[in-house]
Amino acid sequence: MCGIAGLYYPNIAKPVDPARVAQMSDAQAHRGPDGSGVWTAPGVGLGHRRLSIIDLGGGAQPMLTPDQQIAVTYNGEIYNFQEVRAELERLGAQFLTHSDTEVLLHGWRAWGPDMLARLNGMFAFALYDAKSKSLFLARDRFGVKPLHYAQLSDGAVAFASELKGILAHPSFRRVPDFRAVEDYLGLGYVPDDASIVAGVKKLPAGHFMLIERGKPVPQPVQWWDIDFSQRATGKPKDLQAELVEHLRAAVTSRMISDVPLGAFLSGGVDSSAVVAMMAEASRSAVKTCTIGFDVADHDETSHAQLIADRFATEHRARKVAADDFALIDTLVDAFDEPFADASALPTYRVCELARENVTVALSGDGADEAFAGYRRYKFFAAEERMRGLLPGGLRSGVFGTLGKYFPKADWAPRPFRAKTTLLALAEGGEYAYPKAVGVTGPELRHRLYTRKALKALAGHNAEQRYTDTMRLAPARDGLDRAQYADIKHYLPGDILTKVDRTSMAVSLEAREPLLDYRLVEFAATLPPSMRIRSGQGKWLMKKALEPWLPRDILYRPKMGFVTPISAWFRTALADEAAALARSKVLADTGWFDAATIQALAADHRSGRAEHGRTLWQLLMLERSLTRLFG
């Protein structure tokens, strides 16, 4: 795994200072502590920081073809590079290394942008073609690996794995973007097509850009999409067998490494399934690790130990404090942008633990989005069935009126929040689901904003991105559309960002076998009844894994990395919450109403209301703005 950076002048072949590219690259040194490189030519400069995984001696970057006509800087792993290499050799390509990087050089020469469809992996790369004087930027299907870009005042296009790489360029002017703040407060993260810094964008997952000299910088082009509109017709037993074969292939392909490799093990279905397949394929004990908490309600170490014992893994567990908020500033540095998923704290700790013994770790991320594992899918599917019983106008009138006057109970479990459920039923699914998956709702956000902020938004709202995606989804029903939108937004914006930044902060490569595109494309064809049945999400996946995993693991309630942030803001962080109303950096933006923030903190501290997640968002926003602009 690596960090990439560079500059490209689309209008003129202006000389590029290697020291400037090195400065951008070195700002991401944590992503690649094993080596660095810079290559420049008229109008272009590529930088690289290397974490050595494959071909330790021969995979240095930037890498060039022998004739110096094609150069690439690349972050990621191509899991099927040996098959692609064999195909290229049949076409006459001659390889000088055993690295997957070289496949990109020869693949570009043979197929151009069409080579992306042949690649199975996680990647973000920049490739310069001297013959066409063009720069090609590409990102993998799901957005496992990040890629930021911006156009500078002198016309250069700057790119980097992380925002800090672009910000290291001295001519880039930092200005906050309030529309991204709206997105962040609504969703809990700054999504892929936005940035907290105005003028910076992220190349969306499954997209590329071909920037040619003498032409305007184009919009990204989508090269891959997931299709939920098709349906598998096989018997459940046959589909279970097919699922296991996809899972086995996905895991074994991600075990190729020239450095020590292991796995995260939480004791949940997904990471346990990965460890089961690793144990089947490995000749030696799989190295596993888990993080536990000093509060029993949040601790899963006993479940992880059960799986470790079953597969005789070389297991390490470590207990950390549930109130591990001392990591806040570390996370602010790692993420650059505000990021409100508090499970980043234990994720960082498990990456830290893994890095003590391995350089590569397999994770269980992705199955919830692909196989409908989140509880919210079950509730949404039930709401969709109820919506189908009444015409839209009648539904809006009946449920909307009841919801308007029903008392609010945000503190209650989701099934008992009648006001929330009634209001959701009154709306179409493409309007209700974005609010269900969000963090701070539209009404509370508008209370937080000043008139200046509302004017700056000019009607922009965080939920619209989800609504538009669900409307246009290649899908048959509401569950399809919800999963599709999560794969497009929540997965790259939250889950994969969290794992990438926390793992790279400690120079660890994390691999996600459950996001093998063939496995996810298979999951998208499953009828809804094979994704959710009898209140169980991931139904077919769990049935398929019954020969491998105990029922206590397969069918116990989902826990995940839970952090008690609400309790923090009534105890250890209560004063921090109150201080947000007096924050200079928030006040200087002119965007937030201090009295509203003060009231939120006071009401939460007293127990009159539940605002823990919003207060956490505001705290992380305040810290991020201070770091970036303070």
Side-chain angles (χ1 to χ4, degrees):
M1 200 54 56
C2 308
I4 66 173
L7 295 167
Y8 171 73
Y9 286 90
N11 298 322
I12 187 172
K14 184 177 178 179
V16 174
D17 182 359
R20 186 142 298 169
V21 177
Q23 185 178 5
M24 297 170 63
S25 183
D26 290 347
Q28 309 165 113
H30 52 281
R31 298 186 71 93
D34 297 333
S36 63
V38 171
W39 171 83
T40 63
V44 64
L46 306 181
H48 191 263
R49 293 291 314 201
R50 188 182 187 201
L51 179 63
S52 302
I53 304 293
I54 301 290
D55 191 5
L56 306 187
Q61 296 185 47
M63 185 178 288
L64 282 76
T65 53
D67 61 7
Q68 308 286 298
Q69 291 298 294
I70 305 173
V72 69
T73 182
Y74 151 63
N75 168 30
E77 300 290 347
I78 308 299
Y79 302 119
N80 66 334
F81 80 94
Q82 293 170 333
E83 292 91 333
V84 178
R85 173 179 173 141
E87 185 177 0
L88 287 164
E89 287 177 330
R90 288 194 293 271
L91 295 175
Q94 295 183 349
F95 284 78
L96 302 178
T97 74
H98 299 288
S99 167
D100 58 341
T101 307
E102 196 174 0
V103 165
L104 299 177
L105 296 172
H106 294 292
W108 176 261
R109 178 161 281 169
W111 303 306
D114 290 342
M115 78 168 170
L116 295 172
R118 289 174 159 84
L119 306 179
N120 183 6
M122 55 178 185
F123 52 82
F125 65 85
L127 183 147
Y128 179 71
D129 187 330
K131 183 177 180 180
S132 61
K133 297 180 175 58
S134 62
L135 181 74
F136 184 69
L137 303 176
R139 195 172 178 205
D140 65 67
R141 291 170 176 84
F142 298 102
V144 179
K145 292 293 104 186
L147 187 57
H148 300 68
Y149 68 97
Q151 193 152 14
L152 306 182
S153 57
D154 65 354
V157 174
F159 62 87
S161 295
E162 297 182 13
L163 177 60
K164 57 175 61 73
I166 291 177
L167 297 182
H169 195 288
S171 71
F172 187 80
R173 183 168 173 261
R174 303 186 186 194
V175 178
D177 186 344
F178 181 62
R179 289 164 67 95
V181 173
E182 157 71 4
D183 293 332
Y184 162 73
L185 289 175
L187 300 173
Y189 53 89
V190 179
D192 259 8
D193 58 348
S195 171
I196 194 67
V197 180
V200 179
K201 296 182 180 179
K202 308 180 190 85
L203 186 66
H207 282 66
F208 71 76
M209 288 178 67
L210 179 58
I211 311 173
E212 300 176 87
R213 180 137 315 138
K215 296 182 180 180
V217 176
Q219 292 299 309
V221 175
Q222 181 171 273
W223 66 269
W224 180 85
D225 200 6
I226 183 74
D227 186 0
F228 277 87
S229 68
Q230 307 301 313
R231 286 288 184 259
T233 57
K235 296 178 181 179
K237 285 289 185 183
D238 294 334
L239 293 173
Q240 289 171 34
E242 187 176 351
L243 190 157
V244 170
E245 286 308 306
H246 280 303
L247 179 58
R248 182 179 283 122
V251 170
T252 54
S253 68
R254 284 158 178 78
M255 293 176 66
I256 299 173
S257 174
D258 293 335
V259 293
L261 175 144
F264 302 133
L265 179 58
S266 69
V269 174
D270 306 333
S271 64
S272 298
V274 170
V275 169
M277 296 299 138
M278 291 179 72
E280 180 185 80
S282 179
R283 295 182 179 179
S284 58
V286 176
K287 299 178 187 291
T288 58
C289 65
T290 188
I291 287 291
F293 296 98
D294 58 1
V295 176
D297 290 346
H298 302 295
D299 187 56
E300 292 189 286
T301 51
S302 61
H303 300 290
Q305 189 64 54
L306 180 66
I307 296 299
D309 292 341
R310 186 181 185 96
F311 296 105
T313 72
E314 185 181 318
H315 188 60
R316 300 176 70 223
R318 180 174 294 165
K319 290 282 184 79
V320 299
D323 58 348
D324 193 16
F325 47 79
L327 268 180
I328 289 176
D329 288 333
T330 299
L331 294 182
V332 169
D333 287 340
F335 284 87
D336 292 325
E337 297 185 301
F339 186 78
D341 186 341
S343 67
L345 282 77
T347 303
Y348 180 93
R349 290 301 187 198
V350 77
C351 290
E352 197 175 44
L353 175 61
R355 190 62 178 92
E356 293 176 6
N357 275 40
V358 301
T359 309
V360 178
L362 274 61
S363 83
D365 295 301
D368 286 318
E369 291 81 6
F371 290 93
Y374 294 124
R375 284 189 290 266
R376 63 176 179 259
Y377 292 140
K378 176 176 68 174
F379 298 133
F380 180 68
E383 290 170 359
E384 284 285 88
R385 289 193 293 271
M386 293 184 69
R387 288 187 189 95
L389 299 176
L390 290 175
L394 182 60
R395 185 182 70 236
S396 178
V398 172
F399 292 126
T401 301
L402 289 172
K404 181 179 179 181
Y405 294 106
F406 206 91
K408 191 171 177 62
D410 286 344
W411 50 269
R414 171 76 184 266
F416 303 106
R417 296 182 209 163
K419 185 180 185 73
T420 301
T421 301
L422 290 168
L423 290 174
L425 289 171
E427 298 180 302
E430 70 273 19
Y431 294 102
Y433 186 72
K435 294 176 184 176
V437 77
V439 182
T440 297
E443 292 183 4
L444 182 51
R445 296 201 306 271
H446 280 218
R447 284 171 49 200
L448 282 167
Y449 297 153
T450 61
R451 289 183 180 179
K452 172 189 173 182
L454 292 172
K455 184 177 180 181
L457 285 178
H460 174 78
N461 70 85
E463 291 79 15
Q464 192 63 47
R465 180 180 284 99
Y466 253 87
T467 297
D468 291 344
T469 300
M470 292 179 72
R471 280 176 175 168
L472 299 172
R476 289 193 179 190
D477 66 12
L479 179 61
D480 293 336
R481 288 189 287 274
Q483 288 181 249
Y484 179 84
D486 277 344
I487 287 172
K488 291 295 181 179
H489 301 302
Y490 178 71
L491 182 65
D494 187 305
I495 301 300
L496 297 178
T497 295
K498 175 180 66 179
V499 176
D500 176 79
R501 301 305 192 277
T502 53
S503 61
M504 286 283 88
V506 297
S507 304
L508 175 77
E509 173 170 301
R511 299 178 178 177
E512 288 79 11
L514 301 183
L515 284 178
D516 186 292
Y517 77 95
R518 297 164 300 184
L519 177 62
V520 178
E521 287 179 343
F522 164 79
T525 68
L526 295 175
S529 62
M530 291 193 187
R531 286 175 260 156
I532 300 176
R533 184 178 295 188
S534 302
Q536 283 286 334
K538 294 188 285 197
W539 180 80
L540 188 78
M541 181 179 178
K542 291 175 180 178
K543 293 293 290 183
L545 289 169
E546 283 182 354
W548 279 270
L549 302 179
R551 291 189 65 85
D552 287 350
I553 296 295
L554 287 170
Y555 297 106
R556 71 184 180 91
K558 183 177 177 62
M559 182 180 290
F561 275 152
V562 180
T563 48
I565 54 177
S566 286
W568 293 350
F569 286 115
R570 293 189 174 109
T571 53
L573 292 182
D575 290 341
E576 292 265 13
L580 289 169
R582 304 185 300 274
S583 165
K584 183 179 185 302
V585 70
L586 293 182
D588 286 348
T589 65
W591 296 335
F592 297 100
D593 182 75
T596 300
I597 296 176
Q598 185 178 27
L600 292 185
D603 289 348
H604 181 85
R605 186 172 193 169
S606 68
R608 290 190 296 268
E610 172 54 57
H611 295 305
R613 295 179 74 192
T614 297
L615 291 171
W616 179 256
Q617 282 189 293
L618 291 170
L619 178 62
M620 297 304 287
L621 176 63
E622 196 263 353
R623 296 289 179 89
S624 294
L625 293 177
T626 299
R627 180 184 178 279
L628 290 168
F629 310 106

